Amino acid sequence: MEWWHWVVGGIVLILLELAIPAFFVIWFGLGALLVAGVLLLAGDLSLTAQLLVWTLSSLAMAALWFGVFRPGRQTTRIGTATGEAIGEVGLLVAAVAPFERGRVRFQKPILGAEEWACLAESAIPAGERVRVVSIEGSYVKVARA
Amino acid sequence: MSAGLAVAIAVLAFALITIAKGVRLVAQGEEWVVERLGRYHVTLRPGLNIIIPFLDNVAYKLVTKDIILDVQQQEVITRDNAVILANAIAFVKVTDPVKAVYGVTDFSEAIRNLIMTTLRSIVGEMELDEALSSRDKIKARLRESIADEAVDWGLTVKSVEIQDIKPSESMQRAMELQAAAERERKAAVTKAEGEKQAAILEAEARLESARRDANAQVLLAEASSESIRRVTSAVGSEPGPMLYLLGEKYIASVEKLAQSDNAKVVLMPADLQETLRGLVGKLGGRG
């Protein structure tokens, strides 16, 4: 294969990334451009060697990218299953104990209501500030803030 | 094709397919449930995720935004046996994707059916008028009743709104008839009351006029007695003037008699003076 085959192929692959947003095709495109560069500098290589260089360089770049990329802090948790309400601080209106439901009131409505029935692992008297630990259907689990 | 080329192509294909299947981009507002060898393994959160394509399998893709559930219209019978049509809309959010996919076969359908049956039982305990006027109460009780099941299914019912609540067609007709009858009753009562009032006023008018007539008669009598008294006192014991007055009246009445159509023969007493004196004498004799 000539060097320009690789350039064209690489650009097509990079453009393909726009059509299938999966974020791996771009590395194969860049790999193809790299092979084109190697062909220009080193002259002739066998097709097997070209394919191997392409595969290895693409994999290396992808691995590097996933190594560098950290699924960093979410900028917003809106629309996630539990995200929005976790950590919200509310005031306990009615005391809660392991086998007794309490009521907690929030400053602003969370999940569509200001007041929720709540559960807790330990007994907390009314009037305490509590933090949402998890959402259990229509109850919230709280702990001392 | 040499063996080396074939292996190179195979390795390339393997790498491409593995990465293609292993790299997963989950959009914000979605969460994917991954099974490893048939068992629950992990929930993919929004963003870039990597799974092992040969072991892991994306089994369910869940929307974690609020889901709008349209609860279809249904017939509900109230405690006083009236049929009403009610439909609702619910806003539900998946708060535990694992429970939502493994706890029930189809959580949307499940929660929709639950809302339908609960709505029926809540309205069934109410009278028709109460059901039509207390939407808020229905809403609150509906949310409360669904809460327990929602826990098992990893769902949070954010709100349930009664969209439409109306009597069935036959019921509506009956209610309209009732309203019309009530209006007619009121009209009849108003009319009767008017007639009663009119009769009373008429009777009062008659009473008043009779009273005034009587007063007038009394006044007239008093006036004539007064005039007689005055004439008497003016005349005194002299019969002359009285005779004159009487004679004048007598002649005037005879004249009137003569003028009438049916009596052409008029008899005049020969001795007018004596006749009058007889009259006066009688009067005088009495007085």
Side-chain angles (χ1 to χ4, degrees), chain A residues 21-22 54 78-79 81-82 137 139, chain B residues 12 25 28 31 64 95 148 155-156:
Chain A
W54 182 35
I78 292 170
T82 49
Y139 306 107
Chain B
L12 178 66
L25 283 182
Q28 183 91 34
E31 269 170 43
T64 50
T95 45
D148 290 341
L155 302 171
T156 301

Side-chain angles (χ1 to χ4, degrees), chain A residues 62-114:
Chain A
L64 205 67
W65 156 249
F66 288 126
V68 169
F69 173 80
R70 294 264 177 280
R73 234 164 27 83
Q74 296 246 304
T75 45
T76 176
R77 288 194 295 195
I78 292 170
T80 57
T82 49
E84 285 168 72
I86 304 290
E88 288 282 341
V89 173
L91 192 74
L92 212 59
V93 185
V96 65
F99 291 100
E100 207 177 305
R101 278 177 205 159
R103 294 200 72 81
V104 61
R105 176 178 280 280
F106 297 95
Q107 200 168 17
K108 63 177 168 97
I110 65 162
L111 288 166
E114 263 178 27

Side-chain angles (χ1 to χ4, degrees), chain B residues 39 48 61 64 76 83 112 174-175 206 219 237 243 276:
Chain B
R39 272 189 302 190
L48 190 63
K61 295 180 179 178
T64 50
V76 184
V83 180
R112 186 184 292 131
M175 282 165 89
R206 258 184 285 126
L219 280 177
S237 54
L243 273 180
L276 290 171

Side-chain angles (χ1 to χ4, degrees), chain B residues 219-235:
Chain B
L219 280 177
L220 210 62
E222 272 173 4
S224 60
S225 89
E226 174 68 20
S227 77
I228 287 166
R229 204 149 26 83
R230 283 191 190 179
V231 167
T232 310
S233 74
V235 166

Side-chain angles (χ1 to χ4, degrees), chain B residues 54-276:
Chain B
F54 306 100
L55 294 176
D56 298 343
N57 170 38
V58 175
Y60 301 98
K61 295 180 179 178
L62 277 181
V63 174
T64 50
K65 303 173 199 172
D66 292 355
I67 299 164
I68 304 156
L69 274 185
D70 195 13
V71 180
Q72 71 221 48
Q73 193 167 67
Q74 58 171 340
E75 285 192 352
V76 184
I77 299 173
T78 58
R79 198 169 60 187
D80 48 352
N81 291 322
V83 180
I84 57 175
L85 298 171
N87 66 346
I89 194 158
F91 297 93
V92 178
K93 186 178 166 65
V94 175
T95 45
D96 191 336
V98 182
K99 278 185 181 169
V101 294
Y102 295 114
V104 60
T105 48
D106 181 349
F107 65 84
S108 301
E109 196 55 40
I111 206 91
R112 186 184 292 131
N113 280 309
L114 195 61
I115 290 171
M116 279 174 78
T117 50
T118 315
L119 189 64
R120 225 175 293 157
S121 76
I122 290 169
V123 174
E125 290 167 14
M126 289 178 161
E127 305 267 328
L128 172 67
D129 293 342
E130 197 187 354
L132 291 179
S133 61
S134 52
R135 281 174 185 226
D136 282 346
K137 214 200 271 174
I138 296 175
K139 219 171 90 180
R141 287 214 34 211
L142 203 54
R143 215 174 118 153
E144 229 168 77
S145 324
I146 297 168
D148 290 341
E149 283 83 359
V151 176
D152 277 348
W153 301 338
L155 302 171
T156 301
V157 179
K158 289 182 89 165
S159 75
V160 181
E161 304 282 343
I162 307 295
Q163 232 176 348
D164 224 359
I165 184 162
K166 63 180 180 195
S168 69
E169 228 154 82
S170 58
M171 201 61 218
Q172 230 166 333
R173 229 175 298 131
M175 282 165 89
E176 268 164 26
L177 281 178
Q178 188 194 353
E182 179 64 17
R183 286 282 148 78
E184 268 166 29
R185 186 188 71 83
K186 269 188 193 159
V189 167
T190 311
K191 200 177 162 205
E193 252 167 22
E195 275 166 9
K196 178 184 160 195
Q197 197 74 18
I200 288 171
L201 285 173
E202 245 169 59
E204 267 176 7
R206 258 184 285 126
L207 177 65
E208 187 66 15
S209 82
R211 193 175 287 146
R212 291 196 179 192
D213 277 349
N215 274 352
Q217 273 178 15
V218 168
L219 280 177
L220 210 62
E222 272 173 4
S224 60
S225 89
E226 174 68 20
S227 77
I228 287 166
R229 204 149 26 83
R230 283 191 190 179
V231 167
T232 310
S233 74
V235 166
S237 54
E238 283 295 318
M242 203 167 67
L243 273 180
Y244 171 75
L245 282 174
L246 208 59
E248 203 178 45
K249 282 234 167 147
Y250 188 84
I251 289 164
S253 63
V254 167
E255 223 172 66
K256 221 183 252 173
L257 203 63
Q259 272 166 3
S260 71
D261 289 339
N262 55 350
K264 288 298 168 204
V265 182
V266 178
L267 282 174
M268 292 277 273
D271 193 354
L272 188 59
Q273 237 176 349
E274 262 318 302
T275 310
L276 290 171

